Amino acid sequence: MTVEPAPTRDTGAEEMRTGRLVLRRPGPEDLDAIFALHTDPEACAHNPSDLLETRKEAELLLLRWSHQWDRYGFGYWTILRQDSPEPLGFCGVKIVGYRRRAVLNLFYRLFPSAWGAGYASEAAAAAVDWARTHRPDDLVIARVRPENIASQRVAQRAGLVRAEEFDTPGDDGADWFYTSDG
């Protein structure tokens, strides 16, 4: 049984800006990017169960993300450079159940063409900062594959620390946990 907090909406989270990025609530205009990113084997190499096969699956993923936004007023954002309308990927936090507790799962997935420029770290840090300000009682977690060194660095740059006591086998490989509780 998952313990879920009472729905509370946090208005004002639909768009945020960082030094270089705009993070905004995903909408129908992002469906092509959601589909392209989640059908890219390189982008999903460490989480192959996240690969989508059909556009309908991308529509359902966007619908799930939209339900999170509608219910809580926050969720995953579309990441854009401030000087470009092309999505770099997606990042944010959503409520998930873990060990009979509601936690905020930090997610970040960017197109391989955006890797190596620090965009994931910048977006993830903004998401964690938002969570610490607006949901200070919620634990933020990031599940990372042991072999995904780049993702581990993103979690650390976002202010999360390694929490070996949370590690699990995972759906398609071992999950190492990084959390906001040090």
Side-chain angles (χ1 to χ4, degrees):
M1 177 176 187
T2 300
V3 177
E4 193 167 329
T8 56
R9 290 190 42 81
D10 188 310
T11 58
E14 292 195 12
E15 183 174 297
M16 296 192 316
R17 291 182 179 267
T18 68
R20 301 179 294 166
L21 305 174
V22 175
L23 307 175
R24 65 162 171 74
R25 179 181 176 166
E29 68 276 13
D30 298 309
L31 187 57
D32 289 341
I34 291 169
F35 182 65
L37 184 60
H38 289 88
T39 56
D40 183 326
E42 188 177 8
C44 296
H46 294 285
N47 300 91
S49 66
D50 289 351
L51 276 168
L52 303 179
E53 293 182 15
T54 67
R55 189 167 177 84
K56 182 67 175 171
E57 289 175 316
E59 291 169 0
L60 292 172
L61 182 58
L62 177 58
L63 184 63
R64 286 194 305 273
W65 290 359
S66 294
H67 285 312
Q68 165 77 26
W69 274 97
D70 292 343
R71 184 165 186 187
Y72 297 104
F74 68 92
Y76 296 157
W77 290 281
T78 301
I79 306 168
L80 308 149
R81 283 193 351 225
Q82 289 186 19
D83 63 354
S84 174
E86 295 301 314
L88 299 171
F90 302 90
C91 176
V93 292
K94 78 170 185 176
I95 293 174
V96 299
Y98 181 73
R99 295 186 178 176
R100 298 187 184 151
R101 172 181 178 183
V103 299
L104 297 178
N105 183 69
L106 174 64
F107 169 80
Y108 40 91
R109 177 167 292 140
L110 281 72
F111 286 100
S113 61
W115 293 356
Y119 298 130
S121 294
E122 189 171 332
V128 171
D129 287 347
W130 180 91
R132 285 184 170 143
T133 299
H134 297 275
R135 307 225 16 139
D137 296 331
D138 291 334
L139 178 69
V140 177
I141 65 165
R143 294 175 285 195
V144 180
R145 301 287 183 239
E147 66 279 2
N148 193 345
I149 304 301
S151 185
Q152 293 172 35
R153 288 184 182 136
V154 169
Q156 291 169 333
R157 288 180 185 134
L160 304 184
V161 295
R162 182 82 170 84
E164 294 177 21
E165 67 275 14
F166 287 98
D167 292 353
T168 63
D171 292 336
D172 51 15
D175 282 329
W176 277 9
F177 275 71
Y178 289 78
T179 72
S180 56
D181 282 359

